[in-house]
Structure formats: C-alpha cells, structure tokens
C-alpha cells in the first residue's frame, strides 16, 4: 500500500455539499431535546463475517426500499439503476475503541462508497471512496453537525475497487486515527479538532450512493468526479467481508445527561429494560419463539419484528396480540417482566 496525502484545496470547490451527501440521518437531537437512551453494544468486542451469512444479522438494519445481497465476498451493496442507494447500519452504538472494515469499494464515476460512524448529535467519522478517483480515499470528521470541509484529507490506497483492504478507525477521547492494512495514515487529536471533535456514541453505517446523479448540485457532482452514466454500464458494487469492533465502553444503553454533547456527559447503563417489550408468539403449531425487536416501526395497525427462538425452559403463555411478520399472520403476547427475559 502506498500513502500520499493530497492537498485539501482541491476539495474547497465543494463546500456547498449538504450533510445528506454522507447518506445518514439521526432521530432525536440530544443537543436541544431530552432523548431516550441509545441502544449500546454491551460487549467489549463484536465481529460479523458477512461471507458466512445469507441475510442481514438481527443487530443490523437496511435502509427503507433498499436491498442487500450476500455472496462469497460478503455483503453486496450495488448501484444497478438510478436512485439506488443501499445502506446498512447497526442497531447499536459504541463509544470509543476501534473498528475494522474489510471492504472492496465500488467502481464507477460518481459512485461513492462510504463507511460512516454517526451519533445522535451529529458527530461523524468517515471513510469515503469515489469510484472514479483511482488510488485514493477521503478521511473526514465532523462535530455536532458543523461541516468544515477543510478537515477532509485524502490518503493513498492501492486498487481499492479491485482489492480488499482493512480500513480501520481508532477512536478515543484524546485522538482519532485512520488506518489502512495496519498502517496509520492520519491522526487528529482532540486538541487539534477543538469543539468539532467526535466524542459521543456512534452507530456504524456502510453505504453506496450516486454523487454524480444529474440532479445533484454542480459542486456535489464535481466532488464525485463527474456525471454517473445513467443507466450504469454495469452493477457498481461495494463488497463488505466483515466488520469488527473493539468497544472501550461496553453498555446496554448510553444516555445523554445534558446538552453539551461531551463524552463526559454520557452515562452508561447495564441490566436495563429493553426499549421495546419482548413478545412471545405462537407460530402455527410451534410454541417457543421469543420476539426480540431489533427494528420497530408502526405503519397504521401493522408492526414488524425480527424473531429468535425462545429458550426451551421458558414458560408458554396464551396468545393475544395480533401482528404481521413476513406476510404471515401471527399472534403475540407480552412476557411478564418477572420472567427476566
């Protein structure tokens, strides 16, 4: 791998880029609201091998109206037609530590492959790769939604669209480093970054989007390398083999205790109640399924969940609540909290 830092001045022409170019959003903003606690990563380490699964794990979600496929090279985020913008993200947050992504980025003029850490108060840490940019990667960080594009810095990487590399972030209260295949290519200290230093619990997102779409502003298309051919001559695909996290502050929940957005204001909780109730379901003639929601949304009268099996020694209760799941009618009842499930 070769490393070469590019002049940031080349990026100055796109200071009009909107936050949405990072393709991520948050819900409640804790800098001006009282928000519920964030779901935390309760373990000090986490690993998912996307080459070993055929569907998205229960602790991840995919963006609405988008799809993700799985194959020998892991998760596949593909731009096959205009407006495709696949994104996967964790349902949990972590606070400080290290994350390693094993990824082959997508080719294609205008196509951006992104690995993003994002918090509720819009702290953000990015890897971004442009399909037409050759052997380079962009490193970014934002703080509290303040977009200072002068902090963007480009580093070199060999053949990112045809080779897998391990892209890492080491993140603490005092410093932030971007690492490629074990070699540190950039470090920023909290003292250097000042009040835009990222320091609050983050979710992990990986995504593909078309910065070169004709509808994008001229500055965005210039940053992306030009107009993307529509329709694309091939499926531009980002492959994700694995994601590994070392979590410096394991917790079931992270709570913002004030509106400062400082890491010192984050309180950690364990042995907490789930954000949504566990639900016992009866599936045809099969008893013994425990519904542990990793996604929860309501559309009219319908609610959707993912499911895992109820332990064999768990009590069986009568069904009462009606839900839909995977187009099959099921009945559910909340488990009494005394069962400790």
């Amino acid at each position: 791998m070769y490393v070469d830092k590019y002049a940031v001045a080349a990026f100055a022409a796109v200071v009009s880029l909107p936050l949405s170019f990072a393709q991520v959003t948050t819900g409640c903003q804790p800098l001006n609201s009282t928000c519920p606690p964030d779901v935390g990563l309760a373990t000090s380490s986490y690993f998912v091998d996307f080459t070993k699964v055929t569907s998205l794990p229960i602790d991840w979600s995919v963006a609405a109206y988008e799809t993700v496929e799985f194959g020998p090279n892991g998760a596949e985020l593909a731009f096959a037609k205009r407006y495709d913008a696949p994104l996967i993200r964790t349902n949990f947050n972590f606070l400080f530590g290290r994350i390693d992504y094993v990824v082959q980025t997508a080719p294609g003029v205008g196509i951006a492959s992104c690995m993003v850490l994002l918090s509720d108060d819009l702290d953000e840490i990015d890897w971004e790769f442009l399909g037409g940019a050759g052997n380079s990667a962009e490193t970014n960080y934002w703080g509290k939604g303040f977009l200072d594009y002068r902090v963007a810095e480009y580093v070199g990487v060999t053949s990112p669209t045809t080779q897998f590399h391990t892209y890492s972030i080491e993140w603490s209260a005092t410093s932030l480093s971007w690492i490629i295949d074990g070699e540190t290519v950039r470090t920023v200290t909290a003292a250097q970054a000042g009040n835009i230093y990222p320091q609050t619990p983050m979710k992990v997102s990986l995504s593909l989007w078309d910065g070169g779409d004709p509808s994008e502003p001229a500055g965005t298309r210039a940053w992306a390398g030009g107009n993307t051919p529509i329709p694309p001559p091939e499926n531009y695909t980002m492959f994700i083999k694995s994601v590994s996290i070392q979590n410096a502050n394991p917790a079931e929940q992270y709570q913002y205790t004030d509106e400062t957005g400082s890491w010192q204001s984050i309180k950690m909780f364990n042995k907490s109640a789930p954000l949504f109730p566990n639900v016992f379901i009866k599936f045809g003639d099969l008893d013994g399924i425990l519904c542990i929601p990793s996604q929860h949304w309501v559309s009219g009268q319908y609610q959707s969940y993912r499911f895992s099996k109820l332990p064999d020694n768990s009590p069986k209760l009568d069904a009462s609540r009606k839900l839909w799941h995977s187009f099959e009618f099921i009945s559910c009842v909340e488990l009494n909290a005394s069962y400790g499930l």
Side-chain angles (χ1 to χ4, degrees):
M1 181 197 74
Y2 112 103
V3 175
D4 180 26
K5 296 185 177 180
Y6 291 70
V8 178
F11 192 69
V14 293
V15 295
S16 62
L17 283 174
L19 176 64
S20 60
F21 91 102
Q23 204 195 11
V24 285
T25 59
T26 63
C28 186
Q29 171 52 276
L31 297 186
N32 52 37
S33 304
T34 300
C35 299
D38 286 332
V39 175
L41 178 60
T43 58
S44 59
S45 62
Y46 173 87
F47 177 74
V48 57
D49 183 348
F50 287 117
T51 70
K52 304 295 185 184
V53 301
T54 57
S55 61
L56 201 61
I58 194 171
D59 43 12
W60 289 74
S61 299
V62 62
Y65 310 112
E66 300 293 341
T67 60
V68 56
E69 302 294 335
F70 296 87
N73 286 322
E76 302 173 2
L77 305 185
F79 179 81
K81 63 184 183 304
R82 191 179 184 188
Y83 305 123
D84 280 352
L87 177 149
I88 59 173
R89 65 162 58 96
T90 58
N91 298 324
F92 58 79
N93 299 259
F94 77 102
L95 179 60
F96 300 139
R98 177 177 173 128
I99 183 166
D100 300 288
Y101 313 89
V102 180
V103 169
Q104 179 177 300
T105 62
V109 171
I111 300 299
S113 301
C114 305
M115 301 164 232
V116 175
L117 302 179
L118 184 73
S119 71
D120 284 351
D121 68 357
L122 301 180
D123 284 350
E124 184 173 338
I125 305 169
D126 300 347
W127 282 106
E128 295 186 276
F129 300 79
L130 299 173
N135 297 329
S136 69
E138 183 183 336
T139 62
N140 275 327
Y141 65 94
W142 319 116
K144 310 301 179 278
F146 179 74
L147 306 184
D148 183 352
Y149 293 100
R150 294 171 296 178
V151 306
E153 192 168 286
Y154 291 85
V155 298
V157 57
T158 303
S159 305
T161 62
T162 58
Q163 296 180 19
F164 281 93
H165 294 279
T166 300
Y167 302 100
S168 307
I169 297 288
E170 282 195 349
W171 174 44
S172 73
T174 58
S175 66
L176 171 62
S177 294
W178 289 259
I179 302 161
I180 302 178
D181 295 332
E183 182 178 351
T184 300
V185 296
R186 182 186 184 188
T187 297
V188 172
T189 67
Q192 291 170 331
N195 60 4
I196 65 168
Y197 186 75
Q199 57 189 283
T200 46
M202 304 267 198
K203 284 186 177 180
V204 181
S205 297
L206 298 102
S207 63
L208 193 70
W209 69 286
D210 180 16
D213 187 86
S215 67
E216 294 288 350
T220 303
R221 285 181 280 122
W223 167 81
N227 292 344
T228 303
I230 301 293
E234 60 179 294
N235 285 4
Y236 298 138
T237 304
M238 174 185 184
F239 297 99
I240 307 157
K241 277 190 175 179
S242 65
V243 174
S244 175
I245 300 171
Q246 298 300 314
N247 184 14
N249 294 283
E252 292 182 11
Q253 294 182 341
Y254 300 107
Q255 177 70 65
Y256 290 77
T257 61
D258 59 32
E259 297 180 356
T260 64
S262 69
W263 65 266
Q264 295 95 331
S265 72
I266 305 301
K267 187 173 182 180
M268 294 173 283
F269 295 92
N270 288 300
K271 296 184 179 179
S272 57
L275 291 183
F276 304 108
N278 293 336
V279 176
F280 176 89
I281 70 169
K282 184 175 182 179
F283 229 127
D285 294 328
L286 295 178
D287 288 333
I289 303 289
L290 178 65
C291 169
I292 305 177
S294 66
Q295 294 175 304
H296 179 100
W297 66 95
V298 177
S299 175
Q301 60 179 322
Y302 305 121
Q303 301 178 54
S304 298
Y305 295 91
R306 295 179 183 272
F307 296 92
S308 60
K309 188 175 181 181
L310 187 73
D312 291 337
N313 60 353
S314 297
K316 297 181 179 181
L317 304 177
D318 293 332
S320 63
R321 183 188 297 175
K322 296 180 179 180
L323 301 174
W324 287 93
H325 173 66
S326 300
F327 306 105
E328 295 186 71
F329 180 79
I330 59 174
S331 298
C332 300
V333 66
E334 295 181 11
L335 284 173
N336 188 301
S338 65
Y339 293 123
L341 296 174

